[in-house]
Short mmCIF file of all heavy atoms in Angstrom, two decimals:
data_model
loop_
_atom_site.label_atom_id
_atom_site.label_comp_id
_atom_site.label_asym_id
_atom_site.label_seq_id
_atom_site.Cartn_x
_atom_site.Cartn_y
_atom_site.Cartn_z
N PRO A 131 1.26 18.33 -26.60
CA PRO A 131 0.94 19.76 -26.62
C PRO A 131 1.55 20.41 -25.39
O PRO A 131 1.79 19.75 -24.36
CB PRO A 131 -0.57 19.80 -26.54
CG PRO A 131 -1.03 18.40 -27.00
CD PRO A 131 0.09 17.47 -26.64
N ARG A 132 1.74 21.72 -25.48
CA ARG A 132 2.45 22.41 -24.39
C ARG A 132 1.72 22.30 -23.03
O ARG A 132 2.34 22.06 -21.99
CB ARG A 132 2.57 23.91 -24.75
CG ARG A 132 3.33 24.73 -23.78
CD ARG A 132 3.58 26.14 -24.32
NE ARG A 132 4.41 26.91 -23.44
CZ ARG A 132 3.89 27.74 -22.56
NH1 ARG A 132 2.57 27.98 -22.51
NH2 ARG A 132 4.68 28.44 -21.73
N TRP A 133 0.39 22.38 -23.02
CA TRP A 133 -0.35 22.32 -21.79
C TRP A 133 -0.24 20.94 -21.15
O TRP A 133 -0.17 20.82 -19.94
CB TRP A 133 -1.87 22.68 -21.99
CG TRP A 133 -2.64 21.71 -22.78
CD1 TRP A 133 -2.82 21.63 -24.11
CD2 TRP A 133 -3.36 20.60 -22.26
NE1 TRP A 133 -3.59 20.61 -24.43
CE2 TRP A 133 -4.00 19.90 -23.31
CE3 TRP A 133 -3.55 20.09 -20.95
CZ2 TRP A 133 -4.76 18.79 -23.16
CZ3 TRP A 133 -4.35 18.96 -20.81
CH2 TRP A 133 -4.93 18.31 -21.86
N GLN A 134 -0.18 19.88 -21.93
CA GLN A 134 -0.01 18.54 -21.39
C GLN A 134 1.41 18.35 -20.80
O GLN A 134 1.55 17.69 -19.80
CB GLN A 134 -0.25 17.46 -22.44
CG GLN A 134 -1.70 17.28 -22.80
CD GLN A 134 -1.92 16.22 -23.84
OE1 GLN A 134 -0.97 15.69 -24.41
NE2 GLN A 134 -3.16 15.86 -24.09
N HIS A 135 2.35 18.96 -21.43
CA HIS A 135 3.74 18.94 -20.93
C HIS A 135 3.80 19.59 -19.52
O HIS A 135 4.40 19.01 -18.62
CB HIS A 135 4.64 19.66 -21.92
CG HIS A 135 6.04 19.16 -21.95
ND1 HIS A 135 6.66 18.83 -23.11
CD2 HIS A 135 6.90 18.93 -20.97
CE1 HIS A 135 7.90 18.40 -22.87
NE2 HIS A 135 8.06 18.50 -21.53
N ILE A 136 3.15 20.75 -19.43
CA ILE A 136 3.16 21.45 -18.13
C ILE A 136 2.40 20.67 -17.04
O ILE A 136 2.88 20.57 -15.90
CB ILE A 136 2.60 22.86 -18.33
CG1 ILE A 136 3.56 23.69 -19.19
CG2 ILE A 136 2.37 23.53 -16.97
CD1 ILE A 136 3.01 25.00 -19.63
N VAL A 137 1.28 20.05 -17.46
CA VAL A 137 0.52 19.28 -16.48
C VAL A 137 1.34 18.07 -16.04
O VAL A 137 1.32 17.71 -14.84
CB VAL A 137 -0.86 18.85 -17.09
CG1 VAL A 137 -1.52 17.78 -16.25
CG2 VAL A 137 -1.74 20.04 -17.23
N LEU A 138 2.02 17.38 -16.96
CA LEU A 138 2.83 16.25 -16.59
C LEU A 138 3.94 16.64 -15.60
O LEU A 138 4.25 15.90 -14.67
CB LEU A 138 3.38 15.59 -17.82
CG LEU A 138 2.56 14.55 -18.49
CD1 LEU A 138 3.20 14.03 -19.76
CD2 LEU A 138 2.21 13.41 -17.59
N MET A 139 4.58 17.80 -15.85
CA MET A 139 5.63 18.28 -14.96
C MET A 139 5.08 18.54 -13.58
O MET A 139 5.69 18.19 -12.55
CB MET A 139 6.34 19.50 -15.51
CG MET A 139 7.24 19.20 -16.67
SD MET A 139 8.27 20.58 -17.21
CE MET A 139 7.06 21.76 -17.80
N ALA A 140 3.87 19.17 -13.50
CA ALA A 140 3.24 19.42 -12.18
C ALA A 140 2.88 18.14 -11.49
O ALA A 140 3.17 18.01 -10.27
CB ALA A 140 2.01 20.31 -12.42
N LEU A 141 2.33 17.18 -12.20
CA LEU A 141 1.99 15.90 -11.57
C LEU A 141 3.20 15.15 -11.08
O LEU A 141 3.21 14.52 -10.04
CB LEU A 141 1.17 15.03 -12.55
CG LEU A 141 -0.25 15.43 -12.80
CD1 LEU A 141 -0.88 14.61 -13.93
CD2 LEU A 141 -1.08 15.33 -11.53
N CYS A 142 4.24 15.20 -11.90
CA CYS A 142 5.50 14.54 -11.50
C CYS A 142 6.10 15.14 -10.26
O CYS A 142 6.65 14.47 -9.39
CB CYS A 142 6.51 14.64 -12.69
SG CYS A 142 7.10 13.09 -13.24
N THR A 143 5.96 16.47 -10.15
CA THR A 143 6.48 17.15 -8.95
C THR A 143 5.64 16.73 -7.71
O THR A 143 6.25 16.51 -6.65
CB THR A 143 6.40 18.68 -9.15
OG1 THR A 143 7.13 19.03 -10.32
CG2 THR A 143 6.89 19.43 -7.96
N VAL A 144 4.36 16.67 -7.83
CA VAL A 144 3.52 16.19 -6.70
C VAL A 144 3.89 14.76 -6.31
O VAL A 144 3.99 14.47 -5.11
CB VAL A 144 2.02 16.34 -7.11
CG1 VAL A 144 1.11 15.68 -6.03
CG2 VAL A 144 1.63 17.81 -7.25
N VAL A 145 4.03 13.91 -7.30
CA VAL A 145 4.38 12.51 -7.02
C VAL A 145 5.74 12.43 -6.33
O VAL A 145 5.98 11.64 -5.43
CB VAL A 145 4.30 11.67 -8.28
CG1 VAL A 145 4.91 10.28 -8.07
CG2 VAL A 145 2.90 11.54 -8.77
N LEU A 146 6.68 13.26 -6.78
CA LEU A 146 8.02 13.28 -6.21
C LEU A 146 7.96 13.70 -4.72
O LEU A 146 8.55 13.06 -3.89
CB LEU A 146 8.94 14.20 -6.98
CG LEU A 146 10.41 14.25 -6.54
CD1 LEU A 146 11.06 12.89 -6.72
CD2 LEU A 146 11.15 15.30 -7.36
N ILE A 147 7.19 14.71 -4.40
CA ILE A 147 7.04 15.18 -3.05
C ILE A 147 6.41 14.08 -2.18
O ILE A 147 6.82 13.82 -1.07
CB ILE A 147 6.27 16.51 -2.97
CG1 ILE A 147 7.11 17.64 -3.63
CG2 ILE A 147 5.88 16.86 -1.59
CD1 ILE A 147 6.32 18.86 -3.86
N ALA A 148 5.37 13.47 -2.73
CA ALA A 148 4.67 12.39 -1.99
C ALA A 148 5.61 11.17 -1.74
O ALA A 148 5.61 10.61 -0.65
CB ALA A 148 3.44 11.91 -2.73
N ALA A 149 6.43 10.85 -2.73
CA ALA A 149 7.31 9.69 -2.56
C ALA A 149 8.42 10.03 -1.53
O ALA A 149 8.74 9.12 -0.75
CB ALA A 149 7.99 9.38 -3.92
N ILE A 150 8.90 11.22 -1.50
CA ILE A 150 9.88 11.57 -0.49
C ILE A 150 9.28 11.58 0.85
O ILE A 150 9.84 11.07 1.81
CB ILE A 150 10.48 12.99 -0.84
CG1 ILE A 150 11.35 12.89 -2.10
CG2 ILE A 150 11.30 13.52 0.31
CD1 ILE A 150 11.81 14.23 -2.64
N ALA A 151 8.02 12.14 0.99
CA ALA A 151 7.35 12.16 2.29
C ALA A 151 7.10 10.70 2.77
O ALA A 151 7.29 10.41 3.96
CB ALA A 151 6.02 12.92 2.19
N ASN A 152 6.60 9.84 1.88
CA ASN A 152 6.37 8.49 2.25
C ASN A 152 7.68 7.73 2.63
O ASN A 152 7.63 6.90 3.53
CB ASN A 152 5.61 7.72 1.16
CG ASN A 152 4.16 8.13 1.08
OD1 ASN A 152 3.54 8.41 2.08
ND2 ASN A 152 3.64 8.14 -0.14
N PHE A 153 8.72 8.03 1.95
CA PHE A 153 10.00 7.44 2.26
C PHE A 153 10.43 7.83 3.72
O PHE A 153 10.88 6.98 4.48
CB PHE A 153 11.11 7.87 1.28
CG PHE A 153 12.49 7.49 1.70
CD1 PHE A 153 12.93 6.20 1.43
CD2 PHE A 153 13.36 8.39 2.29
CE1 PHE A 153 14.22 5.80 1.83
CE2 PHE A 153 14.63 7.99 2.67
CZ PHE A 153 15.08 6.71 2.42
N LEU A 154 10.20 9.10 4.07
CA LEU A 154 10.61 9.54 5.41
C LEU A 154 9.78 8.98 6.53
O LEU A 154 10.31 8.79 7.63
CB LEU A 154 10.55 11.11 5.44
CG LEU A 154 11.57 11.81 4.54
CD1 LEU A 154 11.31 13.30 4.56
CD2 LEU A 154 12.99 11.48 4.92
N VAL A 155 8.53 8.68 6.29
CA VAL A 155 7.65 8.16 7.38
C VAL A 155 7.48 6.66 7.33
O VAL A 155 6.80 6.10 8.20
CB VAL A 155 6.27 8.87 7.35
CG1 VAL A 155 6.41 10.34 7.57
CG2 VAL A 155 5.52 8.57 6.08
N SER A 156 8.05 5.98 6.39
CA SER A 156 7.94 4.52 6.32
C SER A 156 8.55 3.86 7.53
O SER A 156 9.61 4.28 8.00
CB SER A 156 8.60 3.95 5.08
OG SER A 156 7.97 4.48 3.93
N ASP A 157 7.87 2.79 8.01
CA ASP A 157 8.39 2.16 9.20
C ASP A 157 9.14 0.86 8.88
O ASP A 157 9.78 0.29 9.75
CB ASP A 157 7.24 1.87 10.19
CG ASP A 157 6.13 1.06 9.57
OD1 ASP A 157 6.15 0.87 8.35
OD2 ASP A 157 5.21 0.63 10.32
N SER A 158 9.10 0.36 7.67
CA SER A 158 9.82 -0.88 7.35
C SER A 158 10.81 -0.55 6.20
O SER A 158 10.63 0.38 5.42
CB SER A 158 8.85 -1.97 6.92
OG SER A 158 8.30 -1.67 5.63
N ASN A 159 11.86 -1.36 6.18
CA ASN A 159 12.86 -1.20 5.13
C ASN A 159 12.31 -1.52 3.76
O ASN A 159 12.73 -0.91 2.76
CB ASN A 159 14.08 -2.03 5.43
CG ASN A 159 14.92 -1.44 6.56
OD1 ASN A 159 14.85 -0.25 6.80
ND2 ASN A 159 15.68 -2.29 7.23
N ARG A 160 11.39 -2.44 3.69
CA ARG A 160 10.79 -2.80 2.42
C ARG A 160 9.99 -1.60 1.82
O ARG A 160 10.13 -1.31 0.63
CB ARG A 160 9.86 -4.00 2.59
CG ARG A 160 9.28 -4.52 1.33
CD ARG A 160 8.48 -5.76 1.57
NE ARG A 160 7.99 -6.33 0.35
CZ ARG A 160 7.27 -7.40 0.25
NH1 ARG A 160 6.94 -8.06 1.33
NH2 ARG A 160 6.85 -7.84 -0.93
N ALA A 161 9.23 -0.93 2.63
CA ALA A 161 8.48 0.26 2.19
C ALA A 161 9.44 1.35 1.85
O ALA A 161 9.19 2.09 0.86
CB ALA A 161 7.49 0.67 3.30
N ARG A 162 10.46 1.53 2.65
CA ARG A 162 11.49 2.57 2.28
C ARG A 162 12.14 2.29 0.96
O ARG A 162 12.35 3.24 0.16
CB ARG A 162 12.56 2.64 3.40
CG ARG A 162 12.11 3.38 4.59
CD ARG A 162 13.29 3.57 5.56
NE ARG A 162 12.79 4.06 6.79
CZ ARG A 162 13.01 5.29 7.19
NH1 ARG A 162 13.71 6.11 6.47
NH2 ARG A 162 12.53 5.73 8.36
N ALA A 163 12.46 1.07 0.67
CA ALA A 163 13.10 0.72 -0.61
C ALA A 163 12.10 0.99 -1.74
O ALA A 163 12.56 1.49 -2.79
CB ALA A 163 13.53 -0.74 -0.58
N LEU A 164 10.88 0.62 -1.57
CA LEU A 164 9.87 0.89 -2.60
C LEU A 164 9.75 2.36 -2.90
O LEU A 164 9.78 2.80 -4.06
CB LEU A 164 8.50 0.33 -2.20
CG LEU A 164 7.36 0.66 -3.10
CD1 LEU A 164 7.51 -0.05 -4.46
CD2 LEU A 164 6.05 0.31 -2.46
N HIS A 165 9.62 3.19 -1.85
CA HIS A 165 9.48 4.62 -2.02
C HIS A 165 10.75 5.27 -2.56
O HIS A 165 10.67 6.24 -3.26
CB HIS A 165 8.99 5.28 -0.75
CG HIS A 165 7.57 4.90 -0.40
ND1 HIS A 165 6.52 5.19 -1.18
CD2 HIS A 165 7.07 4.20 0.65
CE1 HIS A 165 5.41 4.74 -0.63
NE2 HIS A 165 5.73 4.11 0.50
N ALA A 166 11.88 4.75 -2.21
CA ALA A 166 13.17 5.26 -2.71
C ALA A 166 13.25 4.95 -4.21
O ALA A 166 13.63 5.85 -4.98
CB ALA A 166 14.33 4.64 -1.99
N ALA A 167 12.85 3.79 -4.61
CA ALA A 167 12.89 3.42 -6.04
C ALA A 167 11.92 4.31 -6.84
O ALA A 167 12.25 4.83 -7.93
CB ALA A 167 12.49 1.93 -6.22
N LEU A 168 10.70 4.54 -6.29
CA LEU A 168 9.74 5.40 -6.95
C LEU A 168 10.23 6.84 -7.02
O LEU A 168 10.03 7.52 -8.03
CB LEU A 168 8.39 5.35 -6.21
CG LEU A 168 7.61 4.04 -6.37
CD1 LEU A 168 6.37 4.09 -5.50
CD2 LEU A 168 7.30 3.77 -7.82
N THR A 169 10.92 7.28 -5.99
CA THR A 169 11.48 8.64 -5.98
C THR A 169 12.55 8.79 -7.08
O THR A 169 12.53 9.79 -7.83
CB THR A 169 12.10 8.97 -4.60
OG1 THR A 169 11.10 8.83 -3.61
CG2 THR A 169 12.72 10.37 -4.56
#
């Protein structure tokens, strides 16, 4: 349904911002690789 589509896009955007933020503040290469893959 249209409302679920919009909600999924909003959630995906929030997750994308969080993954980028976590990638930038990660202190190990393993964590950076994980967050880069999720991004």
Side-chain angles (χ1 to χ4, degrees):
R132 185 173 183 262
W133 70 270
Q134 285 181 352
H135 208 129
I136 293 170
V137 167
L138 275 177
M139 287 189 295
L141 286 173
C142 236
T143 302
V144 170
V145 170
L146 184 63
I147 292 168
I150 291 170
N152 285 327
F153 172 80
L154 294 174
V155 299
S156 295
D157 56 350
S158 70
N159 285 336
R160 185 177 183 178
R162 281 186 190 253
L164 173 68
H165 292 297
L168 290 175
T169 301

